[in-house]
Structure formats: C-alpha cells, structure tokens
Amino acid sequence: MSKIILHVDHISVQRYGQDHPVLDDVTVQFKAGQLVALCGHNGAGKTTLARAMLGLIPLANGTIYVEGQPLDRNISHDVQMVFQPPMAQIIGDTVFEELAITLLQRDACLPSNQLAQLVTDACRRVGLHVPLTRGIRELSGGELQRLCIAQALLSEAKILILDEALSSLDPDARTHLRQHLRRLAKESNTTLLMISHDMEDVLAADRVLVMEQGRLIHDGTPIDFFYGNSSDTDGTESPCESFGFEPPYLVQTARAYSRRTGHALTPVDEHQFVEELSNVTVPS
Ligand SMILES: Nc1ncnc2c1ncn2[C@@H]1O[C@H](COP(=O)(O)OP(=O)(O)OP(=O)(O)O)[C@@H](O)[C@H]1O
C-alpha cells in the first residue's frame, strides 16, 4: 500500500474581516502516485487549500504534515504549484535555460552533457516538442503550460499542485496531457493535485475531492462521483449532479443507456465504454 505523503489535519483559515472561515476544519490525506482532482464552485476555497499546502497561508487551526513532519518553511519544497498565469514562475529566456536553472538548483555540478539529456527527457515526458533554444515568449499557451509542468516535475516535489493548469489548452492537447499526467503520477510516484472546473479532468483522475464554502464535502472515486450507486438505473442523481456540476458527455450517454436498458454501465473513458457495451448480454 502506498504511504501517506501529505496529511492536512483539521485545518481552518480565517481571512481578516470575514465572518466565515475560508477553510473550515478541512482534513484530507494524500498518497504517493495518485492523480487527484479538486473541484468546487467559485470561492469554495480550492486555491486557499492549495496555498495552505504550500505553507503560504497562516492557519487558524490544525496542522499540515509532509511525510509525518509538520509543514514549515524548511520542507515546503516538497510541495510545488504550477501558478496561473504560467509566466509568473518563469525566470529563463529559453526552454533550455528555464529547465537547466531548476536542475542546477538541485545539483550545481551537473556536467553539461547530462544537463542537456535531462532537459531533453523532461520535455519528452510532458510532450513538449519544440527546439530547446526556443524563446519562452515564442511558446504557445499550451507549450508554456507543458514547460511549467516539466519544470515542476524536475523540482522533484512529492506533491505537485496544478491550479487550472490545463485551462489554456485546446481539447485534444488537454485530453493528451491529462493521460500523460496520470502516467507521470504513477511513473514518478508523485501526487498530482489538479484543481479544475472541467468535469473531463475530474473523470481522468484516480480520486475526486469536492469543496463547498470552505469545507471538504466529497472524497471518492470518479465512479462514485459520476455514477453514484452503480446499481441505480432509475435516474437517481449522481453526486456530480447534486453538487451542481454537469457530467461529461460520456457519462451522460452511459447513464441514459443504463436507464433505458437496465444495464448499469460506469465507464470513465471511451475504451471502457466500448468494453462494457460489448459485455452486455442482449436477450435473443
Ligand atoms: N487574500 C484574500 N483575502 C481575503 N479573502 C480572500 C483572499 N483570497 C481569497 N479570499 C476569499 O476566500 C474564499 C475562497 O477563495 P479561493 O480563491 O480559495 O476559492 P476557489 O475555490 O479557488 O475559487 P475559484 O474557483 O473562483 O478560483 C473566497 O470567498 C475569496 O473571496
């Protein structure tokens, strides 16, 4: 069983002049190697939770532990965030410079041939296929997002927070990068916390967290979230709908099929949908 990397233990955050806490007694644990989606309507407290996990916000109550140690300034490099807008975190002039700076911060004596290889590998891992000499200002929005994710992965953080980091990508690039992130989480044993309003992002995650008015109100798998009790074929609302989100087209189609035929399908991607459909026994 993978170990607990980060433990948010009953934390509350109170902003000056506000009656209600912005985070209200939030408790959640994160294991290594998971892609976790964090969703919630505007103002629910998602970014505040992320910033608290980075150690950037004073807590009114509770403690955050990273690998069992209370979070403080000395160990906050274990948690990294891809900020919005992405340019806010860029220092270098070219793709190579940007990634080399991060690598050299880790090991200032890296030989140049190894440095070049590691930069090339980092770009490949996130699907950034541009010359390493390309100027940062010449990158498209999607390429810049990939560069920021590559940089955050090179920092060897144990928890990487992506706050709406896929939002500027076109739908194809978004689908591709989502699958990539899922693989990266497993391969590098990094926990990726993806803050998103996009239900397609949520569908691709291993786990779904939902926040409302500063509280964590749901923690489960995408199947729980989108299909609820999988034996329901009578149109009962799923948690996704009851929290006020619109399920992705794939989920709506599968649920319509289940209601109409009485065969409960719970796919989270197209391949699974086809497989589940092909296993349905049709009465002769
Ligand atoms: N620096 C601040 N000072 C006072 N209140 C703040 C501050 N930052 C955030 N808030 C308030 O805290 C609440 C939660 O904000 P937060 O940005 O965490 O929500 P969110 O879920 O990330 O929202 P969104 O989806 O709109 O980005 C909001 O009511 C917001 O107005």
Side-chain angles (χ1 to χ4, degrees):
M1 215 170 82
S2 68
K3 65 175 179 174
I4 306 288
I5 296 294
L6 189 134
H7 179 188
V8 174
D9 188 14
H10 294 284
I11 67 162
S12 297
V13 167
Q14 184 79 43
R15 295 286 196 180
Y16 180 74
Q18 294 194 2
D19 297 339
H20 298 289
V22 178
L23 292 184
D24 187 3
D25 197 25
V26 174
T27 292
V28 60
Q29 296 182 336
F30 296 94
K31 288 182 181 166
Q34 280 195 327
L35 178 60
V36 183
L38 173 59
C39 60
H41 297 291
N42 291 132
K46 305 178 296 293
T47 302
T48 306
L49 176 60
R51 294 175 73 86
M53 285 165 57
L54 288 164
L56 297 178
I57 297 187
L59 306 179
N61 281 305
T63 310
I64 296 177
Y65 300 91
V66 181
E67 295 198 308
Q69 298 298 312
L71 180 66
D72 61 29
R73 292 191 186 284
N74 295 327
I75 58 165
S76 60
H77 62 265
D78 284 337
V79 187
Q80 299 280 332
M81 182 155 164
V82 175
F83 285 94
Q84 292 301 326
M87 277 313 271
Q89 69 192 67
I90 299 290
I91 309 171
D93 287 332
T94 64
V95 169
F96 180 81
E97 256 185 53
E98 184 58 29
L99 297 177
I101 289 168
T102 309
L103 283 162
L104 290 169
Q105 277 169 349
R106 263 171 43 197
D107 178 1
C109 304
L110 258 182
S112 55
N113 60 337
Q114 255 188 54
L115 189 63
Q117 188 58 52
L118 288 170
V119 168
T120 306
D121 289 348
C123 292
R124 191 180 36 76
R125 282 167 80 198
V126 297
L128 177 61
H129 304 297
V130 295
L132 299 182
T133 49
R134 175 78 47 90
I136 301 282
R137 291 183 190 283
E138 294 157 22
L139 296 177
S140 72
E143 288 165 351
L144 188 57
Q145 295 281 27
R146 286 166 194 259
L147 177 67
C148 292
I149 294 169
Q151 185 202 32
L153 286 167
L154 282 180
S155 68
E156 294 191 329
K158 297 189 170 84
I159 304 251
L160 177 57
I161 304 169
L162 307 163
D163 193 353
E164 294 288 347
L166 310 188
S167 55
S168 67
L169 303 182
D170 62 56
D172 277 354
R174 208 173 165 126
T175 306
H176 189 72
L177 194 53
R178 250 184 232 125
Q179 290 161 353
H180 230 78
L181 289 175
R182 209 182 147 114
R183 266 204 308 279
L184 281 173
K186 301 272 177 295
E187 281 170 15
S188 58
N189 216 25
T190 307
T191 299
L192 300 180
L193 178 63
M194 181 169 55
I195 300 177
S196 181
H197 293 103
D198 184 331
M199 291 297 115
E200 300 275 355
D201 290 345
V202 176
L203 194 59
D206 296 308
R207 177 180 174 199
V208 185
L209 305 175
V210 184
M211 292 193 71
E212 189 177 271
Q213 296 184 349
R215 299 188 73 95
L216 192 63
I217 57 164
H218 180 87
D219 182 354
T221 63
I223 291 184
D224 298 335
F225 181 70
F226 288 112
Y227 297 99
N229 180 347
S230 60
S231 63
D232 278 342
T233 50
D234 58 1
T236 313
E237 266 197 341
S238 63
C240 170
E241 291 160 317
S242 62
F243 297 139
F245 302 106
E246 189 171 337
Y249 185 61
L250 175 94
V251 173
Q252 292 188 33
T253 312
R255 282 171 62 84
Y257 179 90
S258 303
R259 278 196 299 278
R260 192 171 278 201
T261 64
H263 294 287
L265 303 186
T266 58
V268 293
D269 59 37
E270 282 85 359
H271 293 295
Q272 215 178 323
F273 197 6
V274 172
E275 203 176 306
E276 289 189 10
L277 273 177
S278 62
N279 288 332
V280 171
T281 319
V282 183
S284 49

